[in-house]
Amino acid sequence: MSRADAYRSVSQPGISSSPHIGAHWSTSQIWTDADQADWEAGLARVTASAGLPLRWVENPEWLKLCDRFIPRAKVPSAKVLTKRVMPQVLRGIKVTAIEESRGAVGTLQCDGWTGENHHHLIGFMMTVKRKLHAVRVHDASGDPRNAEELLKQIIESIHKAESEWGVIIIACTTDVSGESRKARRLLREKFPHFVTPDCLAHQASY
């Protein structure tokens, strides 16, 4: 993909300028590659933080606003935002999170759900220094629904947290289903030093 193809122009034909928007502000400030990278990363973070649709960066009013106030900035297309920018930002966030977590103790938790596509997924997360991090999401659609299989996935997640993140897992919690309770009991038998409480949220009565 060429540099021209990677970005939508903020002065595209077909996007008329509002009569209330004047010409570009003149500026002598140099817009560097580092500025562009920071700009793109900021757009990715805003997209995730605000829950914006991925194509918002191609909104005509947004493009006119950028054209008016920050003409030197190139606005990435939705394709570039999702295929290149967001994965880069996520990799950077993960590297920072691993550096902050390495050598600390953590607690593992997991929960499952079935999506609209009928895939059953199990998410494994850990809390380290009061921050929550995703460890992995496992597609369990073809797995047997029993405690032994869940135990296998829990142990794999513990190993991933310890080998990739350098975190010392000391506890694990799940929901309160029968196979989850049994999996935690089997985990405690295998690793007696683990704390394996029920999930407090599942114990609350509303």
Side-chain angles (χ1 to χ4, degrees), residues 131-164:
K131 291 184 178 180
L132 185 66
H133 304 289
V135 177
R136 59 190 282 259
V137 176
H138 173 66
D139 187 344
S141 303
D143 295 348
R145 303 286 182 89
N146 57 43
E148 288 74 19
E149 178 61 29
L150 180 57
L151 174 66
K152 172 185 170 184
Q153 299 303 328
I154 290 173
I155 293 175
E156 184 174 334
S157 299
I158 292 171
H159 289 162
K160 184 179 179 71
E162 293 179 341
S163 62
E164 293 187 12

Side-chain angles (χ1 to χ4, degrees), residues 159-188:
H159 289 162
K160 184 179 179 71
E162 293 179 341
S163 62
E164 293 187 12
W165 290 70
V167 172
I168 305 166
I169 299 297
I170 60 172
C172 176
T173 187
T174 67
D175 62 26
V176 294
S177 65
E179 67 270 18
S180 296
R181 285 178 181 268
K182 182 179 178 182
R184 282 187 283 109
R185 177 175 59 80
L186 295 174
L187 181 67
R188 190 167 58 250

Side-chain angles (χ1 to χ4, degrees), residues 23-75:
H24 297 159
W25 282 0
S26 61
T27 176
S28 59
Q29 184 176 355
I30 297 174
W31 184 264
T32 67
D33 289 343
D35 291 329
Q36 181 64 32
D38 287 345
W39 164 250
E40 293 175 356
L43 291 178
R45 286 176 175 273
V46 168
T47 302
S49 177
L52 296 173
L54 297 175
R55 299 192 70 84
W56 79 274
V57 289
E58 298 179 353
N59 180 277
E61 292 300 323
W62 164 248
L63 294 176
K64 286 190 290 185
L65 189 66
C66 292
D67 218 11
R68 171 67 175 86
F69 291 104
I70 40 177
R72 295 177 184 271
K74 296 183 177 73
V75 180

Side-chain angles (χ1 to χ4, degrees), residues 97-98 100-101 124-128 131-135 165:
I98 289 176
E100 292 177 349
S101 303
F124 294 89
M125 303 153 287
M126 65 179 176
T127 301
V128 183
K131 291 184 178 180
L132 185 66
H133 304 289
V135 177
W165 290 70

